[in-house]
Amino acid sequence: MIRTVEAEPHVSAPVLAAYSYCEAVTGQQARNFAYGIRLLPVSKRRAMSALYAFSRRVDDIGDGSLAPDVKAARLEDTRAMLARVREGAVDEDDTDPVAVALTHAATAFPIPLGGLDELIDGVLMDVRGETYETWDDLKVYCRCVAGAIGRLSLGVFGTEPGARGVERAPEYADTLGLALQLTNILRDVREDAGDGRTYLPADDLAKFGCSAGFSGPTPPEGSDFAGLVHFEVRRARALFAEGYRLLPMLDRRSGACVAAMAGIYRRLLDRIERDPEAVLRGRVSLPGREKAYVAVRGLSGLDARHVTRRAVRRRA
């Protein structure tokens, strides 16, 4: 991919080092996310890496092997670091590169840092072992761990001046986050079960005879596992359709970033729909060449134009 030369404001050496750390974390641990943010200008890419590195730290605490009370204490320590960032109390020579990078990003862009508090709240729900009776219950969790990330990202992307319906941009960003998270939940259903976690709503599991859970490579005996997956896929597709209304409100490269990340997950959803039991046998993923194709499609603006045409047809 050919990169253009971009004029960037001066960034000090300590801050650049902090961003480099965050970009390394992102490149190593967020393959799907990294494909999208490669399409952004340097300053936005760095800011998104800072958001990811903070989020990764929170997730790693929640997913680790520490006792629940220790996890909760470490999450509150992370919340205290976030409070320092919000107050501008992190110096450039601070020993925590994530705090340094996030502080700089929050001064460069109108990032609603409260979304990171929501992320911590969501991971605390994991630590407490919460389960979800209904989709409305699960939406609360998804909005914390993914919808909030959508709204935080929108703070970095910004919106195009004069874009129609722009007041609903945070809502669409939140909804797109829900779509991504529900796709993650379907993809990771076996892995989560192995960790003692159940995210799919209990009433959906009961409806399709899957209340026994997913402890092995085959569905529960007598269940309609394919029916359950297809039901959740339809829900995720509806969320994607709503969330994609954000694309025409973004500049070309921010829209390309969102289209690439969402496009990768939509293709994962296609694979899961074609072979529902694949999620019980292993982790469903896309090859690198397919991710690259999705990124190029996003940069071309095809997805944004498609959404715009559909919106015009609906208004006609």
Side-chain angles (χ1 to χ4, degrees):
M1 183 180 298
I2 299 173
R3 297 192 184 280
T4 57
V5 176
E6 298 154 352
E8 294 293 330
H10 175 73
V11 179
S12 70
V15 172
L16 283 176
Y19 275 132
S20 294
Y21 171 85
C22 294
E23 289 182 300
V25 170
T26 303
Q28 292 165 7
Q29 301 190 44
R31 300 298 172 83
N32 293 341
F33 184 82
Y35 263 91
I37 67 170
R38 287 178 190 175
L39 305 175
L40 294 171
V42 172
S43 59
K44 291 185 178 182
R45 187 167 69 244
R46 288 172 179 160
M48 291 294 288
S49 294
L51 286 174
Y52 178 82
F54 181 93
S55 302
R56 181 75 263 168
R57 178 177 296 180
V58 173
D59 286 344
D60 285 347
I61 294 170
D63 292 339
S65 58
L66 298 171
D69 59 331
V70 178
K71 288 183 179 182
R74 293 203 175 182
L75 287 169
E76 292 306 328
D77 288 343
T78 307
R79 198 190 300 275
M81 181 268 270
L82 179 60
R84 291 175 55 229
V85 171
R86 186 181 288 112
E87 294 160 6
V90 177
D91 295 328
E92 289 188 356
D93 59 355
D94 193 281
T95 57
D96 186 340
V98 177
V100 173
L102 189 58
T103 297
H104 186 272
T107 60
F109 299 98
I111 299 173
L113 291 174
L116 294 175
D117 278 305
E118 292 180 56
L119 173 64
I120 294 170
D121 292 339
V123 174
L124 281 169
M125 295 168 75
D126 280 337
V127 170
R128 294 192 295 265
E130 292 193 20
T131 55
Y132 308 97
E133 290 296 316
T134 67
W135 168 238
D136 284 341
D137 296 333
L138 180 58
K139 276 196 294 188
V140 174
Y141 169 78
C142 291
R143 286 211 158 95
C144 285
V145 299
I149 300 301
R151 287 177 266 119
L152 287 157
S153 300
L154 184 62
V156 175
F157 298 146
T159 54
E160 284 285 81
R164 186 167 182 173
V166 74
E167 69 280 355
R168 298 190 65 183
E171 174 191 337
Y172 295 143
D174 183 277
T175 300
L176 200 52
L178 264 65
L180 299 178
Q181 186 62 26
L182 183 54
T183 304
N184 268 335
I185 287 170
L186 285 173
R187 182 193 61 185
D188 297 339
V189 66
R190 170 80 185 279
E191 181 180 334
D192 290 333
D195 292 334
R197 294 176 181 173
T198 301
Y199 291 104
L200 290 175
D203 59 1
D204 292 354
L205 295 174
K207 179 179 178 180
F208 292 95
C210 294
S211 297
F214 312 106
S215 57
T218 57
E221 187 175 352
S223 68
D224 180 12
F225 181 71
L228 171 67
V229 170
H230 290 151
F231 178 80
E232 304 297 349
V233 166
R234 287 193 296 273
R235 176 176 278 157
R237 288 197 191 287
L239 292 168
F240 273 117
E242 182 74 6
Y244 260 55
R245 295 185 183 186
L246 176 66
L247 291 183
M249 302 176 185
L250 305 177
D251 67 68
R252 178 172 176 264
R253 291 177 69 175
S254 296
C257 172
V258 173
M261 288 189 285
I264 287 169
Y265 277 87
R266 286 180 70 192
R267 284 172 177 258
L268 282 174
L269 204 60
D270 291 342
R271 291 193 171 206
I272 292 168
E273 183 179 38
R274 287 195 298 268
D275 183 8
E277 291 188 25
V279 298
L280 299 178
R281 299 191 297 267
R283 192 177 182 88
V284 178
S285 61
L286 299 184
R289 64 182 180 278
E290 191 168 352
K291 293 178 183 178
Y293 167 78
V294 174
V296 170
R297 181 181 172 88
L299 193 58
S300 73
L302 287 172
D303 290 310
R305 289 198 294 272
H306 180 58
V307 171
T308 303
R309 284 197 299 269
R310 283 190 305 173
V312 169
R313 286 198 297 270
R314 280 194 298 268
R315 290 195 296 266

